[in-house]
Amino acid sequence: MIERVARSVSQRTQGYLQIQAFPAGQLGTTRDQIENFMVGTQQLTTEGAAAISQFFPPLGALEAPYAWRDEAHLQKVMKSPIAAELSRTLVERRGLRILAATYYGVRHLTTTRKPVRTVADLREFKLRVPENEVFVAMARAWGAKPTPIPFGELYLALRQSVVEGQENPLPTIDAAKLYEVQKYLVLTGHILTPRLILINERTWRALGRPAQGALLGAIEE
């Protein structure tokens, strides 16, 4: 998605505004990138709302289990005064601006050996979760043992049985080839993930109105 935005922005600004993409953890863990982002060494990022909630807790509600009926419900709220107020407060407190929210997918559970048919099957289950309190609290509510692990280390952690399972949207599970180290897929549909596109506020103000409009237009496209 970011590569498509980058091409569109370049075309819209006749090459004045260029976006360089660094996928697959090239700039560090999620926490590393958010910290870099807040001080301005990284200007633009896309990340799950719960990950950003480490630094601005109200955003955690956007990625709470079963918060959304469907994608349309998510997009309606993210274009409402509720989202505008969240973005305004995030600018004031952390110097970050929400430009948009995209649909990242519905998260499901996979396990290495154990079929999961009820919540009781997750008791004492070692579950990999992202490094944020929203997912840790969710796993604990299930009776599982939450184990925060960076996504880049997940495949090896599953193969070596450091954890017994994980949860992610289907395209992510497929792209990371987690099916090679997981036996069961459980269609829990427990979280519909809004992936936020954010920009450092100082960078945003420095762009000027024409470049700001081009960036917003490219994201909307």
Side-chain angles (χ1 to χ4, degrees):
M1 179 192 69
I2 290 299
E3 291 177 351
R4 290 171 59 193
V5 170
R7 288 194 297 271
S8 180
V9 163
S10 181
Q11 292 168 1
R12 289 166 181 262
T13 63
Q14 288 77 53
Y16 168 75
L17 183 58
Q18 299 287 332
I19 296 175
Q20 293 177 288
F22 297 88
Q26 292 180 36
L27 299 181
T29 66
T30 294
R31 188 176 186 88
D32 292 337
Q33 292 188 58
I34 296 172
E35 289 176 346
N36 291 338
F37 182 49
M38 288 194 299
V39 299
T41 54
Q42 185 176 334
Q43 289 82 35
L44 190 69
T45 193
T46 174
E47 188 53 79
I52 307 298
S53 74
Q54 298 173 75
F55 303 93
F56 183 57
L59 286 180
L62 300 179
E63 205 167 350
Y66 303 107
W68 309 109
R69 291 189 297 271
D70 50 31
E71 180 186 357
H73 182 204
L74 164 66
Q75 292 295 353
K76 181 179 180 179
V77 173
M78 293 310 298
K79 293 178 180 179
S80 75
I82 295 172
E85 177 63 17
L86 279 173
S87 183
R88 184 189 65 78
T89 309
L90 185 59
V91 168
E92 292 176 353
R93 295 187 185 178
R94 292 298 187 180
L96 308 179
R97 177 179 292 268
I98 300 173
L99 297 181
T102 63
Y103 171 65
Y104 185 61
V106 180
R107 301 180 80 98
H108 301 285
L109 176 70
T110 68
T111 67
T112 309
R113 300 182 185 88
K114 184 179 183 179
V116 173
R117 296 184 174 88
T118 71
V119 176
D121 294 328
L122 287 171
R123 185 171 178 81
E124 300 299 309
F125 183 88
K126 291 187 293 183
L127 178 66
R128 179 270 173 181
V129 293
E131 299 172 282
N132 64 71
E133 286 302 316
V134 175
F135 284 82
V136 168
M138 176 190 71
R140 285 176 178 158
W142 290 346
K145 290 184 175 179
T147 307
I149 294 175
F151 185 77
E153 301 173 15
L154 176 56
Y155 184 98
L156 186 60
L158 291 168
R159 190 173 71 180
Q160 295 181 343
S161 298
V162 175
V163 287
E164 300 173 89
Q166 64 86 49
E167 48 79 57
N168 260 301
L170 297 179
T172 303
I173 293 168
D174 182 63
K177 298 184 178 180
L178 299 185
Y179 51 81
E180 295 179 349
V181 288
Q182 296 284 267
K183 182 175 181 179
Y184 296 100
L185 169 64
V186 190
L187 297 177
T188 50
H190 52 277
I191 290 178
L192 193 156
T193 296
R195 195 156 183 103
L196 305 180
I197 301 175
L198 303 105
I199 191 168
N200 177 278
E201 180 65 10
R202 290 192 299 274
T203 300
W204 174 252
R205 293 182 180 276
L207 288 180
R209 289 190 180 276
Q212 289 174 354
L215 178 56
L216 289 173
I219 291 171
E220 182 66 24
E221 178 187 23

